[in-house]
């Protein structure tokens, strides 16, 4: 699933998550002297890692000359680098690891837990149409991505526990909302209440 990150003055586009492609665009908000109103870099493979390392070093005030590749533009100062770095890190992870792993590392708040994904053959991924179990997995079993413990069965059990916990919390949240809505005080016409009191 493609995704675009929009830190102030930037557009970080990942059209094909997991394919090692990232488009970086800076607009006039970053620098009014940009040609045609934007600066653009299309990054593939190792160029993504090089750009991330350069921006990180610039943000930290370190020398970025050790990283080969296109030099960073002058407008990308340390302050600008610090502003774009958090979104750039997320975009790089999505571009290189894919949506399923990105969602494991950065889960959406309020969304249920995601199923385990095998780190070797991608079984369990909602973004893989066909899963071919690798020879390794067939012989030694699956290894869950980002899960403590290497047993696939353990990852399945932990997912079920997390899902049950999430479902209970979600049911409580809905009950609390319904209760709060029922307990909202009705609007009281104070003038009518005073007149009624005076009449008694």
């Amino acid at each position: 699933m493609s995704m675009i990150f929009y830190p102030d003055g930037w557009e970080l586009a990942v059209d094909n998550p997991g394919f090692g492609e990232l488009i970086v665009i800076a607009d006039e908000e970053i620098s009014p002297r940009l040609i045609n109103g934007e600066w653009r870099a299309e990054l593939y493979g190792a160029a993504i890692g090089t750009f991330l390392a350069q921006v990180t070093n610039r943000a930290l005030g370190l020398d970025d000359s050790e990283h080969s590749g296109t030099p960073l533009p002058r407008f990308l100062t340390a302050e600008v680098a610090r502003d774009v770095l958090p979104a750039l890190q997320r975009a790089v992870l999505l571009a290189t690891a894919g949506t399923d792993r990105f969602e494991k590392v950065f889960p959406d708040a309020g969304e249920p837990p995601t199923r385990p994904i095998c780190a070797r053959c991608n079984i369990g991924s909602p973004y893989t149409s066909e899963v071919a179990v690798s020879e390794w997995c067939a012989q030694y079993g699956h290894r869950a991505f980002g899960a403590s413990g290497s047993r696939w069965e353990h990852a399945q059990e932990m997912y079920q526990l997390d899902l049950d916990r999430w479902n209970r919390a979600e049911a409580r949240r809905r009950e609390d909302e319904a209760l709060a809505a029922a307990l909202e005080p009705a609007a009281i016409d104070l003038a009518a209440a005073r007149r009624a009191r005076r009449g008694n």
Side-chain angles (χ1 to χ4, degrees):
M1 172 174 60
S2 65
M3 190 179 297
I4 301 175
F5 300 86
Y6 292 104
D8 290 342
W10 294 88
E11 184 176 314
L12 308 173
V14 182
D15 291 333
N16 299 300
F19 283 67
E21 306 167 357
L22 176 62
I23 299 171
V24 179
I25 301 170
D27 66 24
E28 292 173 326
E29 186 178 325
I30 297 297
S31 176
R33 290 178 281 159
L34 295 174
I35 298 170
N36 297 326
E38 72 176 30
W39 174 85
R40 179 185 183 99
E42 294 185 11
L43 306 170
Y44 302 95
I48 295 172
T50 299
F51 184 73
L52 176 61
Q54 288 175 317
V55 172
T56 302
N57 283 349
R58 180 74 52 93
L60 297 173
L62 303 174
D63 180 24
D64 57 17
S65 63
E66 68 184 68
H67 299 285
S68 61
T70 305
L72 292 178
R74 276 190 236 133
F75 70 80
L76 217 160
T77 63
E79 182 181 355
V80 171
R82 282 191 295 275
D83 289 343
V84 74
L85 188 57
L88 179 62
Q89 291 169 331
R90 292 171 70 102
V92 166
L93 181 65
L94 179 63
T96 57
T99 305
D100 49 7
R101 285 160 172 75
F102 178 84
E103 289 178 351
K104 285 288 199 187
V105 175
F106 296 108
D108 286 332
E111 290 292 317
T114 57
R115 294 183 178 281
I117 301 166
C118 179
R120 293 189 181 99
C121 72
N122 289 333
I123 194 167
S125 172
Y127 301 101
T128 305
S129 56
E130 276 187 41
V131 176
V133 176
S134 68
E135 288 182 31
W136 178 273
C137 291
Q139 185 172 356
Y140 300 106
H142 299 291
R143 173 67 161 94
F145 173 82
S148 65
S150 58
R151 283 190 26 245
W152 183 249
E153 295 76 18
H154 180 258
Q156 296 285 344
E157 291 166 4
M158 293 308 297
Y159 161 72
Q160 193 58 55
L161 288 171
D162 289 345
L163 183 61
D164 292 345
R165 188 177 306 119
W166 185 86
N167 285 332
R168 285 191 303 273
E170 188 66 12
R172 274 193 307 273
R173 185 189 64 75
R174 283 194 299 269
E175 289 172 5
D176 290 347
E177 284 178 357
L179 181 62
L183 294 178
E184 283 184 9
I188 299 173
D189 186 348
L190 292 177
R194 287 186 189 121
R195 283 192 301 272
R197 201 184 289 120
R198 285 185 199 143
N200 290 338

